[in-house]
Amino acid sequence: MQTIKQLSDLLAAGKTSAVELAQDYLAKIDTLNPKLNAFVTVDADKTLAEARAADVLRAAGNAPLAGVPFGHKDIFCAEGWKTTCGSKMLDNFVSPYDSTVVAKMKAAGLVTLGRLNMDEFAMGSSNENSFYGAVKNPWDLNAVPGGSSGGSAAAVAAGLVPAATGTDTGGSIRQPASFCGITGIKPTYGIVSRYGMVAFASSLDQGGPMAHTAEDCALLLNVMAGFDERDSTSLEHAKEDYTRDLNVPLAGLRVGLPREYFAEGLASDVAAAIETAIAELKKLGATVVEISLPNTKLAIPAYYVIAPAEASSNLSRFDGVRYGHRAADYDGLTEMYEKTRAEGFGWEVKRRILTGAYVLSHGYYDAYYLQAQKIRRIIANDFQSAFAHCDVIAGPVAPNTAWNLGEKNADPVAMYLEDIYTLGVNLAGLPGMSVPVGFGSNGRPVGMQLIGNYFGEAKMLNVAYQFQQATDWHLKAPTL
Amino acid sequence: MKWEVVIGLEVHTQLTTKSKIFSPASTAFGAEPNTQTAVVDIALPGALPVMNRAAVEKAIQFGLAIGAKVNQRSIFARKNYFYPDLPKGYQISQFELPVVEGGQITINVDGVDKVINLTRAHLEEDAGKSLHGDFQHQTGIDLNRAGTPLLEIVSEPEMRSAAEAVAYAKALYSLVTWIGICDGNMQEGSFRCDVNVSVRPEGQKEFGTRREIKNLNSFRFIEQAIKYEVQWQIGEIEDGRKIQQATILFDPDTGETRMMRSKEDAHDYRYFPDPDLPPLVISNEWLERVRSELPELPVAMQVRFQQQYGIPAYDAATLTSSKALAAYYEAAVAAGADAKLASNWIMGDISATLNREEKDIDASPVSAVALAGLIKRVMDSTINNKTAKDVLKKMWEAGATDATAADVIIERDGLKQETDTGAIEAIVDAVLAANPKAIEEYRAGKEKALNSLVGQVMKGSGGKANPAMALELLKKKVG
Amino acid sequence: MSLSLDDVRRIAKLARIAVSDEEIAATHTQLNRIFGLIEEMRAVDTTGIEPMAHAQDVALRLRDDAATAPNRREAFQAVAPAVENGLYLVPKVIE
């Protein structure tokens, strides 16, 4: 297992080249991906072309990450790459343009190893809702890797890529990172541009890095983050070096523990792992304060109104007219639409589109959508009250470790309930991350969630980095 | 039974911006299909809208021009429906909080002023074009127009006749073109009207059920469509049928209206605030700057013309019917033409000739300065009115831009009025000798009798005699 | 409150998704489970609370009016299901 930091040092020292690294990883992907199904697209020619360009860029100097390979979640439009979003609807869609994240990583000389599997249109917590089949958890091939960035998490955990991009609308970076024992960060909403990132729920979606260590996440966030005039929700926030505070000691750090995150519903093995991690933070000089996020439970209904509402509208553009799937035979325009969308979307996506259409439809708007928006405000305010008493919030990412493939498919609601600790962060637009802190009774990884206040990324990464200096959970690798 | 007609208009004005409302693609008309589309305009996955400042500024200009409330915080919302020329499956518009609320437009029908209140004006994006003709069983979609900025201007249902509706549309048209937020090219769809029509028994308080006539792009069609629709609705009701609310189309060829099939199920638009676009905020500074840069408006200019130039209200109204015409008039007066004479000439010969040649004032071959040069010669009676008309014709044919154009022609063709008493006297004597009867009548107290003689003197002088002088001489000799 | 089968048919129509009768039944059950979850929220007293439509409280940023987008029709239509003479083709639309 190698980190971005190690690889960039090797490249800097001339001990390896971008092309060599690309070839090594492509070989690994060849042998191991069939077990995991983490990739939707691998294109050695494209990858090696990027690698050769990266070697040239590095030679020209002042490109610290040039040649470092990684994988893209198949949601970021990349010119010339198939960008499927895990959907039959986009199975034939080769993007004619680059998303801002793709362009920034290209410019930094990072080399794309391929396109990573995901829940269709990022809707799901198990990565079983993909047109390209479920992704397996490298720690246990019978377990789900989490979702929606399940391909990214599994590929990093299995060492098929040293790092990957992900997106997080309700936990889609943090929960798979937790299930696969890696580190992932979902930044403050508006820090990473959404331009060219296929939209699920526009007011909640945020891209971020997934890697082995907090330091790697910081290095990648330095590349991914930044104001983008092409995204009207991108924040005009001064450029930061997210590695700047990694070495700050934790003495005097106030860690808030939300009572509601440790209440009934939290599995005892997960609780145990989190408590051990908290104890470690105390050892490092942090003090612990109990806080309350009283409306935590309401995040689920509020989220499952707002996200589907926005999604139902965002996914209307998939109509078989300008790109993507179109039904083979139909009688008239309406049937063309209805068949195209019935064939192109999977059932979880259809359910959310229908839910969203309903809560926005005539006569229900106030009762559902508007009420959900008000509760969203209440939840955001709860976090602000909490941050009056602490610098970061710590708790579990999910109530349980990864469940078995197929275990929760029958009942969507059962899966929605597993998102309880991650949804609030998206509703409030706050940064959150997942840090490996051990394993459950079933030997599947457990992640601790860190939640920062707005623009608190450097602080969170500092806490995670210090924790990782004192522990080795993030270094553990599955045997495949 | 007597019926009252109730009409409200929703006018879509394309704003004159270089680029689209949410994308950097060009808005120029008439390009090859789909060559003016950015990722936003064809709604590629991941594409995001970014608002055009110029479109907002034009909305502010309009709001200030009609004395409306410009909301300093307004919200963009998504109007969701499926249609092939609507690439995102929703139109970005404004719903609960539009940028402009209220305001008034004054119309004039048969000399009577009437104030029409506006409900609102909001910013939104235009859709693409569906081309039905070109293919057998298919429709072609051109998205060049998709994303063109529109200001949708909604009136209260305060018009009571087709004539009022047309007057309102024309008044609105001249305002938006006057302040330059719309190019006014109706053939190209820059100014499109949706007309809501209902009828009710005279005296009844509540409105009848309305039907909306979509996309009328000429004032004539507005009038025809309303007249047909009103008769149709009255007919239905008198035959005991109920009017169903509906969206309809007007067919200029048949002159009839018919139901619009494609809109049948587009009733539940599921409006909600667009999560891609934070609230639009307009600062006081911005508002005040736009206010200070607003041109003098027609109404204010009319009043000024009456006061400054002492011309009648009718003249002032006509001369301010377009900015160019008003400018032409003021230039002529500035060049020394008498204010009332200039008004007469412009509303008279100039306008008449322009209409005949289907030119507008900017294209007049006779410049305001040249016209003033001509009028001055009438003022100092170098030539009389009749000659002046001939001179203008010649100026028109040759094209006349400078102040001396009239003088050159008068000189060249020797059109100067004859003011040499001797020469006129000879003609007068000849005329008197030939008309003893007229003299009798005059002496018998019939003043008018001499007028015909003046005419003959003019004729004899080839139009060059000074009529006043001729009359004077006649009187003296007969006296 | 719960959705009727007709509600499901209505929103499926609204969302332009063909759903067979068997699928309607299954979808109906699942949507009602989801709305059962959502119900919890409706009882909450939210009087006087400003709805939150955006994660950040910022004003709309405005762009200068410049037509800078190049003509990329060829690239854009390379992924289109049906085009002719630069037009996207759809089944005949009757207005």
Side-chain angles (χ1 to χ4, degrees), chain B residues 19 33-34 51 53 132 141, chain C residues 63-65 73 86 88 92:
Chain B
S19 65
N34 294 303
M51 181 75 202
R53 181 182 294 102
H132 307 299
I141 305 297
Chain C
R63 191 187 97 239
D64 290 341
D65 180 24
R73 182 174 82 179
Y88 295 97
K92 190 135 207 106

Side-chain angles (χ1 to χ4, degrees), chain A residues 7-55:
Chain A
L7 294 172
S8 58
D9 291 347
L10 288 174
L11 286 157
K15 295 205 178 72
T16 184
S17 73
V19 172
E20 275 174 53
L21 282 178
Q23 283 162 336
D24 296 351
Y25 276 98
L26 286 170
K28 248 196 230 158
I29 293 167
D30 244 18
T31 50
L32 291 180
N33 186 57
K35 288 187 173 173
L36 299 173
N37 193 34
F39 283 83
V40 170
T41 306
V42 178
D43 184 330
D45 297 347
K46 274 197 175 52
T47 301
L48 292 171
E50 285 186 28
R52 283 189 289 275
D55 280 323

